[in-house]
Amino acid sequence: MLNNTVLQCQKTEEDIENIHKSVGDLTITLDDSKMKMEYIKSTISEKVDSIEAEIGQQYSYFQNASTEVTKVKQKYIILEEEMKKEVKTLNQITNDLKLRDWEHSATLKNLTLIQGPPGPKGEKGDTGIMGIPGIPGVRGLTGEKGEKGLKGSQGMTTRGLPGSKGERGQKGDKGEQGEKGETASSTQATTSKTTDAVVRLVGGRTPNEGRVEVFHLGQWGTVCDDHWDQKDGQVVCRMLGYSGASIVMLNQRFGSGTGRIWMDDVQCLGFERSITECKFLGWGITNCSHREDVGLQCTV
């Protein structure tokens, strides 16, 4: 029991030391936070003082502007009153002059008709006040539409000279040898009996359908579906002994083949005895992959 008590005391002492250390760290953290808060407070105080000073300056500018506007209004009122007085005086002078002209005319009528020598030429009078512009007149009628102009002559067009023939490209590297082809079963493939070329259908559910493959140089290969249509299918189906093609299928409908792609861009006219008589790029010349292997369903 004494040993257990000693151990508990030691453990309690360690816990107290840890707590003391944690309190010290917490005190340091609080001091740092306090310093940061004081710095933030001083910074905000300086910004507030700066903003208050700027607001005071703007308010002073506003008061000065208001004072100037008031002065301008007062000057405008004074000038308006002076203008009214001047116009009134001018009207009175005009009436007096009209009256004097009438008195002079009446006096001259009472004088004898003896004509005296002409007086000297008077000075040129001042330019009168510009009158008020008159009301705009009514808009005139729209004139008649002019005749359509003659069509211009066609410009000269000069066709450029044909460009020079490009250089022949380099011969490509020899392709790798393809994998050995699958052996066709009686239910999966149908082979033609002609002597000039051998064709079969692979991967179909019945003998009259499947992926088209051609036997050349001792190896089976597929046919790319570029330009493949009903006429090409007719030739292949007749090679296999059927009357014609019912459905032409593209894009590996019966799975991807293996090995070489023997034929590409096949373009038959429909009456050929063999697919080799049709137009194509040449044996093994292609830009296709096995994702474009052609399929076919022949008419039974």
Side-chain angles (χ1 to χ4, degrees), residues 10-265:
Q10 290 178 354
K11 185 177 180 181
T12 304
E13 186 178 358
E14 290 178 358
D15 293 339
I16 293 172
E17 289 180 357
N18 292 331
I19 293 171
H20 182 71
K21 184 178 180 182
S22 299
V23 170
D25 295 339
L26 183 60
T27 303
I28 294 172
T29 304
L30 289 173
D31 292 338
D32 293 341
S33 299
K34 185 177 180 181
M35 292 177 64
K36 291 180 180 178
M37 289 296 294
E38 290 179 355
Y39 173 75
I40 293 171
K41 183 177 180 181
S42 61
T43 304
I44 293 174
S45 178
E46 290 177 358
K47 290 185 177 179
V48 169
D49 294 339
S50 176
I51 293 172
E52 287 180 352
E54 187 175 357
I55 291 173
Q57 187 176 4
Q58 295 294 333
Y59 182 73
S60 178
Y61 289 158
F62 177 75
Q63 285 184 338
N64 293 335
S66 299
T67 304
E68 293 294 333
V69 171
T70 303
K71 290 180 180 179
V72 171
K73 286 183 178 179
Q74 291 177 354
K75 289 182 179 179
Y76 174 77
I77 293 171
I78 294 171
L79 289 174
E80 188 177 8
E81 292 294 333
E82 292 179 354
M83 184 67 69
K84 289 180 179 179
K85 291 180 181 180
E86 292 292 336
V87 171
K88 186 177 180 180
T89 304
L90 182 61
N91 291 334
Q92 187 176 359
I93 293 172
T94 303
N95 292 331
D96 293 341
L97 289 175
K98 288 181 178 179
L99 180 60
R100 291 182 181 180
D101 288 341
W102 180 79
E103 292 177 350
H104 291 167
S105 298
T107 304
L108 290 174
K109 286 181 181 179
N110 295 326
L111 293 176
T112 58
L113 297 176
I114 299 174
Q115 184 177 4
K121 185 177 181 180
E123 297 180 357
K124 185 177 180 180
D126 298 331
T127 304
I129 301 173
M130 182 180 291
I132 301 173
I135 301 173
V138 181
R139 184 177 180 181
L141 300 175
T142 305
E144 297 180 357
K145 187 175 180 181
E147 297 179 357
K148 186 176 181 180
L150 300 175
K151 185 176 180 181
S153 58
Q154 186 176 0
M156 298 177 63
T157 56
T158 305
R159 188 174 181 180
L161 298 175
S164 58
K165 187 176 181 181
E167 298 179 358
R168 185 175 182 180
Q170 297 180 357
K171 185 176 181 180
D173 298 333
K174 186 176 180 180
E176 298 179 358
Q177 184 175 357
E179 299 178 359
K180 187 176 181 180
E182 300 175 354
T183 301
S185 62
S186 60
T187 58
Q188 292 182 340
T190 302
T191 307
S192 69
K193 299 179 181 180
T194 56
T195 56
D196 53 348
V198 179
V199 178
R200 69 181 182 181
L201 300 178
V202 179
R205 293 173 297 180
T206 58
N208 66 313
E209 67 177 11
R211 181 178 63 253
V212 178
E213 293 190 356
V214 182
F215 192 76
H216 180 67
L217 296 179
Q219 183 181 353
W220 286 102
T222 60
V223 179
C224 181
D225 60 7
D226 291 345
H227 299 290
W228 187 265
D229 58 11
Q230 195 74 19
K231 296 178 181 178
D232 307 318
Q234 294 283 359
V235 174
V236 173
C237 287
R238 284 202 301 270
M239 290 177 66
L240 296 172
Y242 297 101
S243 60
S246 58
I247 302 176
V248 174
M249 304 175 188
L250 311 178
N251 298 328
Q252 60 172 2
R253 176 69 179 273
F254 295 101
S256 301
T258 58
R260 299 291 297 275
I261 300 175
W262 277 129
M263 304 182 75
D264 189 7
D265 288 354

